[in-house]
């Protein structure tokens, strides 16, 4: 069976996956781009970027992925559902290139973008969303795109097979934390950590037997 994976999800040292004060102008709130600067510097993101540990992990983003599930807070700023013209924060050719299922209490018609991405809007539980995504993925893996609340829900439901976190050496102090309510979850996984010269620590959680 295909795996449910989290790839390249960045958190701060104090466990925040996004900052406070998200808006149309500040997709990650007061965190800005600081959680993702390690990724923007890689060859995977830009020609002439850096190689090494960070690039090796970043390159796994799209490998064997047939569909993505993302939370409403990743797709857009608070209140995006009230704007019928909102098509996400990634321009006409988003970086997903698969069907993307957006968990929202405000479903709307699907949006077909350039490059193979189609956004589908569903009001569903984690298990229900995973069933729909598996049907669309054609036997390939499903990526959970975030944000932290949505990932926390899937972890709490025991639905994640593999998770790659990039722990970035910054302190945000406020925002949305990943780990709340997940005490002891590491017992279900083999955990490995790899340090990068950038200061980022890449931590992987692989479910035993996955």
């Amino acid at each position: 069976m295909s795996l449910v994976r989290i790839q390249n999800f960045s958190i701060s040292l104090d466990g925040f996956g996004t900052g406070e004060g998200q808006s149309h102008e500040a997709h990650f709130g007061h965190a800005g781009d600081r959680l993702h600067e390690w990724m923007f510097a890689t060859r995977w993101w830009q020609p002439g970027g850096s190689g090494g540990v960070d690039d090796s992990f970043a390159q796994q983003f799209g490998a064997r992925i047939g569909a993505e599930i993302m939370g409403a807070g990743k797709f857009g700023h608070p209140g995006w559902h009230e704007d019928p013209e909102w098509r996400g924060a990634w321009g006409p050719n988003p970086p997903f290139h698969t069907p993307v299922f957006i968990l929202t209490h405000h479903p709307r018609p699907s949006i077909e973008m350039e490059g193979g991405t189609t956004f589908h809007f569903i009001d569903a539980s984690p298990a229900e969303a995973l069933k729909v995504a598996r049907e669309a993925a054609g036997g390939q893996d499903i990526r959970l795109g975030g944000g932290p609340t949505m990932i926390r829900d899937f972890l709490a439901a025991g639905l994640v097979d593999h998770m790659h976190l990039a722990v970035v050496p910054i302190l945000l102090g406020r925002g949305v934390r990943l780990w709340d309510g997940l005490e002891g979850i590491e017992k279900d996984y083999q955990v490995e950590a790899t340090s990068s010269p950038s200061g980022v620590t890449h931590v992987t959680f692989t479910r035993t037997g996955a």
Side-chain angles (χ1 to χ4, degrees):
M1 183 177 289
S2 61
L3 300 179
V4 179
R5 293 164 40 199
I6 297 162
Q7 297 291 156
N8 299 356
F9 190 77
S10 298
I11 63 173
S12 63
L13 287 174
D14 46 351
F16 292 95
T18 191
E20 188 175 79
Q22 291 176 277
S23 67
H24 187 284
E25 292 74 28
H27 197 66
F28 291 93
H30 83 289
D33 290 335
R34 289 181 292 162
L35 285 169
H36 306 99
E37 288 173 350
W38 71 271
M39 184 173 60
F40 298 154
T42 64
R43 292 175 187 167
W44 174 75
W45 185 267
Q46 61 173 337
S50 63
V53 173
D54 290 342
D55 186 61
S56 294
F57 277 98
Q59 294 284 352
Q60 297 303 308
F61 177 77
R64 304 177 305 281
I65 296 295
E68 170 159 332
I69 303 171
M70 74 168 62
K74 177 178 177 180
F75 183 72
H77 53 281
W80 64 261
H81 60 276
E82 298 175 353
D83 179 1
E85 301 302 318
W86 180 253
R87 300 167 69 87
W90 304 278
N93 187 2
F96 310 110
H97 312 302
T98 67
V100 177
F101 297 91
I102 297 154
L103 302 183
T104 174
H105 296 307
H106 305 277
R108 61 169 61 179
S110 298
I111 303 174
E112 186 173 349
M113 308 293 286
E114 297 175 15
T117 298
T118 300
F119 293 124
H120 304 282
F121 303 85
I122 61 174
D123 188 354
S125 69
E128 292 167 342
L130 184 54
K131 182 178 179 180
V132 173
R134 274 215 160 96
E135 292 174 355
Q140 297 191 85
D141 294 346
I142 295 94
R143 182 177 53 236
L144 303 180
T149 300
M150 171 265 205
I151 287 178
R152 187 168 61 240
D153 290 344
F154 275 78
L155 286 167
L159 297 175
V160 178
D161 298 306
H162 178 83
M163 175 168 61
H164 162 231
L165 299 178
V167 183
V168 181
I170 62 173
L171 294 171
L172 290 179
R174 52 199 167 96
V176 183
R177 286 174 50 86
L178 175 63
W179 297 121
D180 290 353
L182 296 176
E183 180 181 352
I185 197 170
E186 73 281 353
K187 298 174 183 177
D188 297 327
Y189 295 88
Q190 178 182 344
V191 183
E192 298 181 2
T194 304
S195 297
S196 167
S198 67
V200 171
T201 301
H202 297 275
V203 184
T204 59
F205 294 71
T206 304
R207 184 181 297 281
T208 305

